[in-house]
Amino acid sequence: MYPLLFRTVLSRLDPETAHHLGMAVIRVLGSAPLAPIVRAVTRPDPSLAVEALGVRFPSPFGVAAGFDKNAVGVRGLDALGFGHVEIGTVTAIPQDGNPKPRLFRLVPDRAVINRMGFNNRGAEAAARRLARLRRGGAVVGANIGKSRVVDVDDATADYVASARMLAPLSDYLAVNVSSPNTPGLRGLQAVETLRPLLEAVKAAAGSTPLLVKIAPDLPDDEVSAITAMAVDLGLAGIIATNTTIGRDGLATDPATVEAAGAGGLSGAPLKARSLEVLRLIRAAAPDPGFCVISVGGIETADDVRERLDAGATLTQGYTAFLYRGPFWARQINRGLARR
Ligand SMILES: Cc1cc2nc3c(=O)[nH]c(=O)nc-3n(C[C@H](O)[C@H](O)[C@H](O)COP(=O)(O)O)c2cc1C
């Protein structure tokens, strides 16, 4: 039914409007009277549970950052069968993000281009939401980024401010240095700038496991170098990957791609590189205790299985949720449990 709904209604709506509509439905599904009913249909098979980062993830497949920037849909997403929800990116200072339109579908590629620019209500508001959720049971990671108005040279203090507010309320903390939509952000991935940043955030995170989220556009040797550094610093793991600034190999009409403009590309076209980056990370960090969360182009249970077989501890997805609909996590969990 969802493909029909997508073709006839949702694909005609502005993508961001469709997202808000979807989130409203998710919030209703996560409300007290409905969540137990939804959960009864979607609960992941107990055999799928993964112990990682000191917690039990009910499924290896979770929601990637950017879908629930303000931690308003955690209960609903959990009820729909996602094994964890990575909220954010949250910035220390609330911000509106880039001017609209800033989200574009590339339907023939089952992809999207976004330049949202970290629109979010800020770390304090997210902390309030998480504090109310803590008894809810969902596994929650908090993804933090640099506030746009803060100079790149002052990024550390800005990340640390968010880390202090969110780490005590999260199962893990993710440092996002890989979104293409905040000027200068990806430059923080250079090993010499990344090391002091991660050291400072790790100190602020205390006992909360810290991961770093990287871009697929890094050269292979930098992926390996960042991994070695993450191991050296005692980080809990790496999330790979964010969206790409590349536009190669797309089936969508080039004029449509061109009209979308700048931003990060996600979805099916990211799959091959995301898998490659996972393999590079696992080669540089073979200890299974080092958590690798693989994300980028995952659509099916077979895709998740492929990542787990390649050494991923956990997996995430975002873009295919738009194309596959609310029972996407359930489909994946069922596919995984059947094997
Ligand atoms: C609309 C949109 C917004 C996103 N916002 C964020 C974000 O705020 N922080 C982040 O780390 N990643 C963000 N991402 C990237 C996703 O978390 C994910 O890394 C990427 O989309 C690849 O996964 P996918 O192919 O399953 O979508 C966003 C992706 C999309 C499509």
Side-chain angles (χ1 to χ4, degrees), residues 64-67 69 86 88-90 103 112 114 116 118 143 176 178-179 213 241-243 264-268 270 295-298 316-320 322 328:
F67 190 84
K69 293 190 186 261
E86 187 169 311
T89 292
V90 177
L103 179 58
V112 303
N114 92 83
M116 306 300 288
F118 297 165
N143 175 309
N176 180 7
S178 47
S179 284
K213 182 166 177 180
T241 68
N242 215 310
T243 58
L265 171 73
S266 58
L270 200 55
V295 49
I298 290 177
Q316 298 177 334
Y318 182 156
T319 302
L322 277 53
W328 182 40

PDB file of all heavy atoms in Angstrom, residues 64-67 69 86 88-90 103 112 114 116 118 143 176 178-179 213 241-243 264-268 270 295-298 316-320 322 328, ligand 1:
ATOM      1  N   ALA A  64      19.129   6.634  11.306  1.00  0.00           N
ATOM      2  CA  ALA A  64      20.304   7.503  11.226  1.00  0.00           C
ATOM      3  C   ALA A  64      19.966   8.933  11.651  1.00  0.00           C
ATOM      4  O   ALA A  64      18.799   9.338  11.674  1.00  0.00           O
ATOM      5  CB  ALA A  64      20.839   7.495   9.795  1.00  0.00           C
ATOM      6  N   ALA A  65      21.004   9.696  11.966  1.00  0.00           N
ATOM      7  CA  ALA A  65      20.821  11.096  12.368  1.00  0.00           C
ATOM      8  C   ALA A  65      20.178  11.907  11.253  1.00  0.00           C
ATOM      9  O   ALA A  65      20.341  11.611  10.073  1.00  0.00           O
ATOM     10  CB  ALA A  65      22.165  11.702  12.733  1.00  0.00           C
ATOM     11  N   GLY A  66      19.458  12.934  11.649  1.00  0.00           N
ATOM     12  CA  GLY A  66      18.838  13.848  10.698  1.00  0.00           C
ATOM     13  C   GLY A  66      17.349  13.626  10.570  1.00  0.00           C
ATOM     14  O   GLY A  66      16.609  14.542  10.220  1.00  0.00           O
ATOM     15  N   PHE A  67      16.906  12.392  10.874  1.00  0.00           N
ATOM     16  CA  PHE A  67      15.473  12.124  10.747  1.00  0.00           C
ATOM     17  C   PHE A  67      14.712  12.755  11.906  1.00  0.00           C
ATOM     18  O   PHE A  67      13.660  13.362  11.718  1.00  0.00           O
ATOM     19  CB  PHE A  67      15.200  10.616  10.697  1.00  0.00           C
ATOM     20  CG  PHE A  67      13.791  10.309  10.327  1.00  0.00           C
ATOM     21  CD1 PHE A  67      13.411  10.277   8.992  1.00  0.00           C
ATOM     22  CD2 PHE A  67      12.822  10.116  11.298  1.00  0.00           C
ATOM     23  CE1 PHE A  67      12.099  10.048   8.635  1.00  0.00           C
ATOM     24  CE2 PHE A  67      11.503   9.887  10.949  1.00  0.00           C
ATOM     25  CZ  PHE A  67      11.141   9.853   9.614  1.00  0.00           C
ATOM     26  N   LYS A  69      15.677  15.286  14.422  1.00  0.00           N
ATOM     27  CA  LYS A  69      16.705  16.231  14.879  1.00  0.00           C
ATOM     28  C   LYS A  69      16.453  16.704  16.299  1.00  0.00           C
ATOM     29  O   LYS A  69      17.380  17.074  17.014  1.00  0.00           O
ATOM     30  CB  LYS A  69      16.751  17.430  13.930  1.00  0.00           C
ATOM     31  CG  LYS A  69      17.260  17.040  12.541  1.00  0.00           C
ATOM     32  CD  LYS A  69      17.545  18.233  11.688  1.00  0.00           C
ATOM     33  CE  LYS A  69      17.896  17.846  10.270  1.00  0.00           C
ATOM     34  NZ  LYS A  69      19.336  17.830   9.994  1.00  0.00           N
ATOM     35  N   GLU A  86      19.225   7.612  16.452  1.00  0.00           N
ATOM     36  CA  GLU A  86      20.275   8.621  16.637  1.00  0.00           C
ATOM     37  C   GLU A  86      19.646   9.987  16.399  1.00  0.00           C
ATOM     38  O   GLU A  86      19.282  10.328  15.279  1.00  0.00           O
ATOM     39  CB  GLU A  86      21.441   8.379  15.678  1.00  0.00           C
ATOM     40  CG  GLU A  86      22.632   9.316  15.963  1.00  0.00           C
ATOM     41  CD  GLU A  86      23.890   8.912  15.207  1.00  0.00           C
ATOM     42  OE1 GLU A  86      24.259   7.722  15.250  1.00  0.00           O
ATOM     43  OE2 GLU A  86      24.493   9.792  14.566  1.00  0.00           O
ATOM     44  N   GLY A  88      19.361  14.217  16.383  1.00  0.00           N
ATOM     45  CA  GLY A  88      20.243  15.293  15.935  1.00  0.00           C
ATOM     46  C   GLY A  88      20.390  15.261  14.421  1.00  0.00           C
ATOM     47  O   GLY A  88      19.630  14.556  13.755  1.00  0.00           O
ATOM     48  N   THR A  89      21.305  16.003  13.904  1.00  0.00           N
ATOM     49  CA  THR A  89      22.374  16.701  14.605  1.00  0.00           C
ATOM     50  C   THR A  89      21.820  17.855  15.440  1.00  0.00           C
ATOM     51  O   THR A  89      21.046  18.680  14.946  1.00  0.00           O
ATOM     52  CB  THR A  89      23.427  17.216  13.615  1.00  0.00           C
ATOM     53  OG1 THR A  89      24.102  16.112  13.044  1.00  0.00           O
ATOM     54  CG2 THR A  89      24.445  18.126  14.277  1.00  0.00           C
ATOM     55  N   VAL A  90      22.291  17.890  16.694  1.00  0.00           N
ATOM     56  CA  VAL A  90      21.936  18.946  17.623  1.00  0.00           C
ATOM     57  C   VAL A  90      23.129  19.899  17.720  1.00  0.00           C
ATOM     58  O   VAL A  90      24.277  19.439  17.755  1.00  0.00           O
ATOM     59  CB  VAL A  90      21.628  18.331  19.010  1.00  0.00           C
ATOM     60  CG1 VAL A  90      21.332  19.425  20.020  1.00  0.00           C
ATOM     61  CG2 VAL A  90      20.478  17.337  18.924  1.00  0.00           C
ATOM     62  N   LEU A 103      15.569  20.139   0.446  1.00  0.00           N
ATOM     63  CA  LEU A 103      15.499  18.671   0.391  1.00  0.00           C
ATOM     64  C   LEU A 103      14.859  18.275  -0.939  1.00  0.00           C
ATOM     65  O   LEU A 103      13.791  18.791  -1.288  1.00  0.00           O
ATOM     66  CB  LEU A 103      14.648  18.175   1.575  1.00  0.00           C
ATOM     67  CG  LEU A 103      14.402  16.679   1.718  1.00  0.00           C
ATOM     68  CD1 LEU A 103      15.705  15.891   1.835  1.00  0.00           C
ATOM     69  CD2 LEU A 103      13.522  16.391   2.932  1.00  0.00           C
ATOM     70  N   VAL A 112      18.087  11.007  -2.163  1.00  0.00           N
ATOM     71  CA  VAL A 112      17.733  12.418  -1.974  1.00  0.00           C
ATOM     72  C   VAL A 112      19.013  13.251  -1.884  1.00  0.00           C
ATOM     73  O   VAL A 112      20.092  12.731  -1.592  1.00  0.00           O
ATOM     74  CB  VAL A 112      16.852  12.702  -0.712  1.00  0.00           C
ATOM     75  CG1 VAL A 112      15.564  11.911  -0.727  1.00  0.00           C
ATOM     76  CG2 VAL A 112      17.604  12.461   0.577  1.00  0.00           C
ATOM     77  N   ASN A 114      20.166  16.699   0.214  1.00  0.00           N
ATOM     78  CA  ASN A 114      19.703  17.651   1.229  1.00  0.00           C
ATOM     79  C   ASN A 114      20.791  18.652   1.572  1.00  0.00           C
ATOM     80  O   ASN A 114      21.979  18.337   1.550  1.00  0.00           O
ATOM     81  CB  ASN A 114      19.209  16.914   2.490  1.00  0.00           C
ATOM     82  CG  ASN A 114      20.304  16.740   3.526  1.00  0.00           C
ATOM     83  OD1 ASN A 114      20.581  17.652   4.314  1.00  0.00           O
ATOM     84  ND2 ASN A 114      20.968  15.586   3.516  1.00  0.00           N
ATOM     85  N   MET A 116      19.991  20.701   4.494  1.00  0.00           N
ATOM     86  CA  MET A 116      19.191  21.218   5.608  1.00  0.00           C
ATOM     87  C   MET A 116      19.983  22.228   6.441  1.00  0.00           C
ATOM     88  O   MET A 116      19.464  23.274   6.818  1.00  0.00           O
ATOM     89  CB  MET A 116      18.720  20.073   6.510  1.00  0.00           C
ATOM     90  CG  MET A 116      17.958  18.939   5.813  1.00  0.00           C
ATOM     91  SD  MET A 116      16.459  19.469   4.995  1.00  0.00           S
ATOM     92  CE  MET A 116      15.410  19.786   6.389  1.00  0.00           C
ATOM     93  N   PHE A 118      21.560  21.630   9.542  1.00  0.00           N
ATOM     94  CA  PHE A 118      21.376  21.453  10.998  1.00  0.00           C
ATOM     95  C   PHE A 118      20.265  22.335  11.561  1.00  0.00           C
ATOM     96  O   PHE A 118      20.452  23.036  12.567  1.00  0.00           O
ATOM     97  CB  PHE A 118      22.670  21.739  11.779  1.00  0.00           C
ATOM     98  CG  PHE A 118      23.829  20.836  11.496  1.00  0.00           C
ATOM     99  CD1 PHE A 118      25.113  21.199  11.899  1.00  0.00           C
ATOM    100  CD2 PHE A 118      23.662  19.611  10.867  1.00  0.00           C
ATOM    101  CE1 PHE A 118      26.203  20.371  11.665  1.00  0.00           C
ATOM    102  CE2 PHE A 118      24.748  18.776  10.623  1.00  0.00           C
ATOM    103  CZ  PHE A 118      26.025  19.165  11.020  1.00  0.00           C
ATOM    104  N   ASN A 143      23.648  12.884  18.323  1.00  0.00           N
ATOM    105  CA  ASN A 143      24.622  13.331  17.330  1.00  0.00           C
ATOM    106  C   ASN A 143      24.773  14.844  17.458  1.00  0.00           C
ATOM    107  O   ASN A 143      23.785  15.583  17.403  1.00  0.00           O
ATOM    108  CB  ASN A 143      24.099  12.908  15.955  1.00  0.00           C
ATOM    109  CG  ASN A 143      24.947  13.396  14.796  1.00  0.00           C
ATOM    110  OD1 ASN A 143      25.262  14.583  14.688  1.00  0.00           O
ATOM    111  ND2 ASN A 143      25.293  12.485  13.907  1.00  0.00           N
ATOM    112  N   ASN A 176      29.642  14.741  14.886  1.00  0.00           N
ATOM    113  CA  ASN A 176      29.459  14.856  13.441  1.00  0.00           C
ATOM    114  C   ASN A 176      30.422  15.900  12.884  1.00  0.00           C
ATOM    115  O   ASN A 176      30.280  17.089  13.157  1.00  0.00           O
ATOM    116  CB  ASN A 176      28.000  15.259  13.157  1.00  0.00           C
ATOM    117  CG  ASN A 176      27.721  15.402  11.668  1.00  0.00           C
ATOM    118  OD1 ASN A 176      28.564  15.083  10.842  1.00  0.00           O
ATOM    119  ND2 ASN A 176      26.527  15.879  11.333  1.00  0.00           N
ATOM    120  N   SER A 178      31.097  15.599   9.483  1.00  0.00           N
ATOM    121  CA  SER A 178      31.043  15.129   8.100  1.00  0.00           C
ATOM    122  C   SER A 178      29.862  15.624   7.291  1.00  0.00           C
ATOM    123  O   SER A 178      29.691  15.206   6.155  1.00  0.00           O
ATOM    124  CB  SER A 178      31.072  13.601   8.094  1.00  0.00           C
ATOM    125  OG  SER A 178      30.159  13.069   9.042  1.00  0.00           O
ATOM    126  N   SER A 179      29.035  16.522   7.836  1.00  0.00           N
ATOM    127  CA  SER A 179      27.936  17.046   7.025  1.00  0.00           C
ATOM    128  C   SER A 179      28.477  18.088   6.054  1.00  0.00           C
ATOM    129  O   SER A 179      29.297  18.918   6.439  1.00  0.00           O
ATOM    130  CB  SER A 179      26.868  17.690   7.906  1.00  0.00           C
ATOM    131  OG  SER A 179      26.108  16.698   8.522  1.00  0.00           O
ATOM    132  N   LYS A 213      31.457  10.449  13.401  1.00  0.00           N
ATOM    133  CA  LYS A 213      30.789  10.129  12.130  1.00  0.00           C
ATOM    134  C   LYS A 213      31.543  10.776  10.980  1.00  0.00           C
ATOM    135  O   LYS A 213      31.755  11.994  10.984  1.00  0.00           O
ATOM    136  CB  LYS A 213      29.331  10.612  12.160  1.00  0.00           C
ATOM    137  CG  LYS A 213      28.566  10.270  10.875  1.00  0.00           C
ATOM    138  CD  LYS A 213      27.082  10.447  11.046  1.00  0.00           C
ATOM    139  CE  LYS A 213      26.344  10.167   9.758  1.00  0.00           C
ATOM    140  NZ  LYS A 213      24.887  10.331   9.909  1.00  0.00           N
ATOM    141  N   THR A 241      28.609   5.908   6.703  1.00  0.00           N
ATOM    142  CA  THR A 241      29.083   7.246   6.413  1.00  0.00           C
ATOM    143  C   THR A 241      27.938   8.259   6.423  1.00  0.00           C
ATOM    144  O   THR A 241      26.766   7.880   6.380  1.00  0.00           O
ATOM    145  CB  THR A 241      29.717   7.316   5.002  1.00  0.00           C
ATOM    146  OG1 THR A 241      28.695   7.132   4.026  1.00  0.00           O
ATOM    147  CG2 THR A 241      30.812   6.326   4.823  1.00  0.00           C
ATOM    148  N   ASN A 242      28.347   9.522   6.359  1.00  0.00           N
ATOM    149  CA  ASN A 242      27.408  10.607   6.107  1.00  0.00           C
ATOM    150  C   ASN A 242      27.077  10.655   4.602  1.00  0.00           C
ATOM    151  O   ASN A 242      27.413   9.726   3.870  1.00  0.00           O
ATOM    152  CB  ASN A 242      28.037  11.927   6.591  1.00  0.00           C
ATOM    153  CG  ASN A 242      26.996  12.874   7.161  1.00  0.00           C
ATOM    154  OD1 ASN A 242      25.967  13.116   6.513  1.00  0.00           O
ATOM    155  ND2 ASN A 242      27.227  13.383   8.347  1.00  0.00           N
ATOM    156  N   THR A 243      26.428  11.700   4.162  1.00  0.00           N
ATOM    157  CA  THR A 243      26.077  11.863   2.742  1.00  0.00           C
ATOM    158  C   THR A 243      27.327  12.229   1.938  1.00  0.00           C
ATOM    159  O   THR A 243      28.328  12.672   2.487  1.00  0.00           O
ATOM    160  CB  THR A 243      25.043  12.982   2.581  1.00  0.00           C
ATOM    161  OG1 THR A 243      25.596  14.190   3.137  1.00  0.00           O
ATOM    162  CG2 THR A 243      23.755  12.661   3.297  1.00  0.00           C
ATOM    163  N   GLY A 264      24.176  17.184   0.305  1.00  0.00           N
ATOM    164  CA  GLY A 264      24.656  15.813   0.453  1.00  0.00           C
ATOM    165  C   GLY A 264      23.691  14.848  -0.215  1.00  0.00           C
ATOM    166  O   GLY A 264      22.477  14.938  -0.046  1.00  0.00           O
ATOM    167  N   LEU A 265      24.260  13.917  -0.960  1.00  0.00           N
ATOM    168  CA  LEU A 265      23.469  12.881  -1.631  1.00  0.00           C
ATOM    169  C   LEU A 265      23.449  11.631  -0.742  1.00  0.00           C
ATOM    170  O   LEU A 265      24.481  11.219  -0.218  1.00  0.00           O
ATOM    171  CB  LEU A 265      24.127  12.570  -2.979  1.00  0.00           C
ATOM    172  CG  LEU A 265      23.589  11.375  -3.771  1.00  0.00           C
ATOM    173  CD1 LEU A 265      22.229  11.694  -4.377  1.00  0.00           C
ATOM    174  CD2 LEU A 265      24.582  10.980  -4.864  1.00  0.00           C
ATOM    175  N   SER A 266      22.254  11.038  -0.597  1.00  0.00           N
ATOM    176  CA  SER A 266      22.113   9.835   0.230  1.00  0.00           C
ATOM    177  C   SER A 266      21.202   8.845  -0.469  1.00  0.00           C
ATOM    178  O   SER A 266      20.564   9.170  -1.468  1.00  0.00           O
ATOM    179  CB  SER A 266      21.517  10.209   1.590  1.00  0.00           C
ATOM    180  OG  SER A 266      20.262  10.832   1.408  1.00  0.00           O
ATOM    181  N   GLY A 267      21.167   7.635   0.060  1.00  0.00           N
ATOM    182  CA  GLY A 267      20.318   6.600  -0.527  1.00  0.00           C
ATOM    183  C   GLY A 267      21.140   5.612  -1.349  1.00  0.00           C
ATOM    184  O   GLY A 267      22.368   5.520  -1.196  1.00  0.00           O
ATOM    185  N   ALA A 268      20.451   4.895  -2.238  1.00  0.00           N
ATOM    186  CA  ALA A 268      21.069   3.780  -2.967  1.00  0.00           C
ATOM    187  C   ALA A 268      22.426   4.106  -3.611  1.00  0.00           C
ATOM    188  O   ALA A 268      23.335   3.262  -3.557  1.00  0.00           O
ATOM    189  CB  ALA A 268      20.089   3.248  -4.011  1.00  0.00           C
ATOM    190  N   LEU A 270      24.833   5.620  -2.587  1.00  0.00           N
ATOM    191  CA  LEU A 270      25.896   5.684  -1.578  1.00  0.00           C
ATOM    192  C   LEU A 270      26.355   4.290  -1.136  1.00  0.00           C
ATOM    193  O   LEU A 270      27.390   4.142  -0.472  1.00  0.00           O
ATOM    194  CB  LEU A 270      25.314   6.443  -0.375  1.00  0.00           C
ATOM    195  CG  LEU A 270      26.238   7.079   0.647  1.00  0.00           C
ATOM    196  CD1 LEU A 270      27.225   8.015  -0.032  1.00  0.00           C
ATOM    197  CD2 LEU A 270      25.400   7.857   1.671  1.00  0.00           C
ATOM    198  N   VAL A 295      26.268   2.937   7.733  1.00  0.00           N
ATOM    199  CA  VAL A 295      25.091   3.652   7.230  1.00  0.00           C
ATOM    200  C   VAL A 295      25.404   4.218   5.852  1.00  0.00           C
ATOM    201  O   VAL A 295      26.519   4.663   5.599  1.00  0.00           O
ATOM    202  CB  VAL A 295      24.650   4.759   8.231  1.00  0.00           C
ATOM    203  CG1 VAL A 295      25.814   5.628   8.667  1.00  0.00           C
ATOM    204  CG2 VAL A 295      23.532   5.633   7.683  1.00  0.00           C
ATOM    205  N   GLY A 296      24.402   4.163   4.979  1.00  0.00           N
ATOM    206  CA  GLY A 296      24.565   4.675   3.621  1.00  0.00           C
ATOM    207  C   GLY A 296      24.052   3.680   2.599  1.00  0.00           C
ATOM    208  O   GLY A 296      24.687   2.666   2.348  1.00  0.00           O
ATOM    209  N   GLY A 297      22.868   3.957   2.072  1.00  0.00           N
ATOM    210  CA  GLY A 297      22.327   3.139   0.996  1.00  0.00           C
ATOM    211  C   GLY A 297      21.711   1.818   1.416  1.00  0.00           C
ATOM    212  O   GLY A 297      21.429   0.963   0.571  1.00  0.00           O
ATOM    213  N   ILE A 298      21.485   1.628   2.706  1.00  0.00           N
ATOM    214  CA  ILE A 298      20.843   0.384   3.153  1.00  0.00           C
ATOM    215  C   ILE A 298      19.342   0.448   2.841  1.00  0.00           C
ATOM    216  O   ILE A 298      18.675   1.421   3.183  1.00  0.00           O
ATOM    217  CB  ILE A 298      21.080   0.158   4.659  1.00  0.00           C
ATOM    218  CG1 ILE A 298      22.548  -0.185   4.898  1.00  0.00           C
ATOM    219  CG2 ILE A 298      20.150  -0.943   5.200  1.00  0.00           C
ATOM    220  CD1 ILE A 298      22.929  -0.353   6.356  1.00  0.00           C
ATOM    221  N   GLN A 316      22.444   1.565  10.226  1.00  0.00           N
ATOM    222  CA  GLN A 316      21.410   2.608  10.275  1.00  0.00           C
ATOM    223  C   GLN A 316      20.925   2.912   8.857  1.00  0.00           C
ATOM    224  O   GLN A 316      21.612   2.624   7.875  1.00  0.00           O
ATOM    225  CB  GLN A 316      21.975   3.924  10.825  1.00  0.00           C
ATOM    226  CG  GLN A 316      22.501   3.883  12.233  1.00  0.00           C
ATOM    227  CD  GLN A 316      23.110   5.216  12.652  1.00  0.00           C
ATOM    228  OE1 GLN A 316      23.579   5.992  11.818  1.00  0.00           O
ATOM    229  NE2 GLN A 316      23.111   5.475  13.948  1.00  0.00           N
ATOM    230  N   GLY A 317      19.787   3.570   8.777  1.00  0.00           N
ATOM    231  CA  GLY A 317      19.316   4.053   7.493  1.00  0.00           C
ATOM    232  C   GLY A 317      18.412   5.253   7.664  1.00  0.00           C
ATOM    233  O   GLY A 317      17.872   5.491   8.758  1.00  0.00           O
ATOM    234  N   TYR A 318      18.283   6.009   6.574  1.00  0.00           N
ATOM    235  CA  TYR A 318      17.382   7.162   6.565  1.00  0.00           C
ATOM    236  C   TYR A 318      16.601   7.217   5.248  1.00  0.00           C
ATOM    237  O   TYR A 318      15.373   7.070   5.222  1.00  0.00           O
ATOM    238  CB  TYR A 318      18.202   8.447   6.770  1.00  0.00           C
ATOM    239  CG  TYR A 318      17.403   9.744   6.833  1.00  0.00           C
ATOM    240  CD1 TYR A 318      17.916  10.855   7.475  1.00  0.00           C
ATOM    241  CD2 TYR A 318      16.146   9.864   6.259  1.00  0.00           C
ATOM    242  CE1 TYR A 318      17.201  12.048   7.545  1.00  0.00           C
ATOM    243  CE2 TYR A 318      15.434  11.048   6.325  1.00  0.00           C
ATOM    244  CZ  TYR A 318      15.959  12.133   6.963  1.00  0.00           C
ATOM    245  OH  TYR A 318      15.261  13.307   7.021  1.00  0.00           O
ATOM    246  N   THR A 319      17.323   7.369   4.124  1.00  0.00           N
ATOM    247  CA  THR A 319      16.669   7.711   2.856  1.00  0.00           C
ATOM    248  C   THR A 319      15.636   6.678   2.415  1.00  0.00           C
ATOM    249  O   THR A 319      14.546   7.052   1.953  1.00  0.00           O
ATOM    250  CB  THR A 319      17.735   7.921   1.767  1.00  0.00           C
ATOM    251  OG1 THR A 319      18.605   8.965   2.214  1.00  0.00           O
ATOM    252  CG2 THR A 319      17.108   8.320   0.442  1.00  0.00           C
ATOM    253  N   ALA A 320      15.930   5.402   2.572  1.00  0.00           N
ATOM    254  CA  ALA A 320      14.976   4.394   2.110  1.00  0.00           C
ATOM    255  C   ALA A 320      13.679   4.401   2.928  1.00  0.00           C
ATOM    256  O   ALA A 320      12.657   3.873   2.479  1.00  0.00           O
ATOM    257  CB  ALA A 320      15.615   3.003   2.121  1.00  0.00           C
ATOM    258  N   LEU A 322      11.947   6.983   3.356  1.00  0.00           N
ATOM    259  CA  LEU A 322      11.058   7.816   2.550  1.00  0.00           C
ATOM    260  C   LEU A 322      10.394   7.009   1.440  1.00  0.00           C
ATOM    261  O   LEU A 322       9.245   7.246   1.093  1.00  0.00           O
ATOM    262  CB  LEU A 322      11.857   8.958   1.895  1.00  0.00           C
ATOM    263  CG  LEU A 322      12.151  10.207   2.684  1.00  0.00           C
ATOM    264  CD1 LEU A 322      12.820   9.936   4.020  1.00  0.00           C
ATOM    265  CD2 LEU A 322      13.054  11.139   1.873  1.00  0.00           C
ATOM    266  N   TRP A 328       9.184  -0.090   7.302  1.00  0.00           N
ATOM    267  CA  TRP A 328      10.507  -0.430   6.766  1.00  0.00           C
ATOM    268  C   TRP A 328      11.341  -1.231   7.778  1.00  0.00           C
ATOM    269  O   TRP A 328      11.911  -2.271   7.449  1.00  0.00           O
ATOM    270  CB  TRP A 328      11.228   0.858   6.360  1.00  0.00           C
ATOM    271  CG  TRP A 328      12.575   0.679   5.748  1.00  0.00           C
ATOM    272  CD1 TRP A 328      12.956  -0.281   4.851  1.00  0.00           C
ATOM    273  CD2 TRP A 328      13.729   1.502   5.972  1.00  0.00           C
ATOM    274  NE1 TRP A 328      14.278  -0.100   4.504  1.00  0.00           N
ATOM    275  CE2 TRP A 328      14.773   0.979   5.174  1.00  0.00           C
ATOM    276  CE3 TRP A 328      13.978   2.633   6.750  1.00  0.00           C
ATOM    277  CZ2 TRP A 328      16.045   1.559   5.142  1.00  0.00           C
ATOM    278  CZ3 TRP A 328      15.233   3.205   6.709  1.00  0.00           C
ATOM    279  CH2 TRP A 328      16.260   2.675   5.921  1.00  0.00           C
TER     280      TRP A 328
HETATM  281  C1  LIG B   1      17.348  14.897   4.968  1.00  0.00           C
HETATM  282  C2  LIG B   1      18.576  14.363   5.621  1.00  0.00           C
HETATM  283  C3  LIG B   1      19.090  15.000   6.750  1.00  0.00           C
HETATM  284  C4  LIG B   1      20.227  14.522   7.369  1.00  0.00           C
HETATM  285  N1  LIG B   1      20.697  15.145   8.486  1.00  0.00           N
HETATM  286  C5  LIG B   1      21.775  14.647   9.122  1.00  0.00           C
HETATM  287  C6  LIG B   1      22.234  15.255  10.318  1.00  0.00           C
HETATM  288  O1  LIG B   1      21.655  16.212  10.829  1.00  0.00           O
HETATM  289  N2  LIG B   1      23.343  14.737  10.905  1.00  0.00           N
HETATM  290  C7  LIG B   1      24.008  13.635  10.394  1.00  0.00           C
HETATM  291  O2  LIG B   1      25.000  13.200  10.983  1.00  0.00           O
HETATM  292  N3  LIG B   1      23.567  13.036   9.278  1.00  0.00           N
HETATM  293  C8  LIG B   1      22.479  13.514   8.641  1.00  0.00           C
HETATM  294  N4  LIG B   1      22.029  12.891   7.507  1.00  0.00           N
HETATM  295  C9  LIG B   1      22.793  11.741   6.967  1.00  0.00           C
HETATM  296  C10 LIG B   1      22.230  10.402   7.414  1.00  0.00           C
HETATM  297  O3  LIG B   1      22.308  10.262   8.807  1.00  0.00           O
HETATM  298  C11 LIG B   1      23.003   9.247   6.750  1.00  0.00           C
HETATM  299  O4  LIG B   1      24.332   9.274   7.214  1.00  0.00           O
HETATM  300  C12 LIG B   1      22.997   9.327   5.233  1.00  0.00           C
HETATM  301  O5  LIG B   1      21.774   9.815   4.750  1.00  0.00           O
HETATM  302  C13 LIG B   1      23.275   7.979   4.578  1.00  0.00           C
HETATM  303  O6  LIG B   1      22.273   7.033   4.928  1.00  0.00           O
HETATM  304  P1  LIG B   1      21.013   6.684   3.946  1.00  0.00           P
HETATM  305  O7  LIG B   1      21.601   6.412   2.580  1.00  0.00           O
HETATM  306  O8  LIG B   1      20.364   5.495   4.564  1.00  0.00           O
HETATM  307  O9  LIG B   1      20.150   7.881   3.946  1.00  0.00           O
HETATM  308  C14 LIG B   1      20.889  13.362   6.860  1.00  0.00           C
HETATM  309  C15 LIG B   1      20.357  12.712   5.747  1.00  0.00           C
HETATM  310  C16 LIG B   1      19.215  13.184   5.131  1.00  0.00           C
HETATM  311  C17 LIG B   1      18.667  12.454   3.932  1.00  0.00           C
END
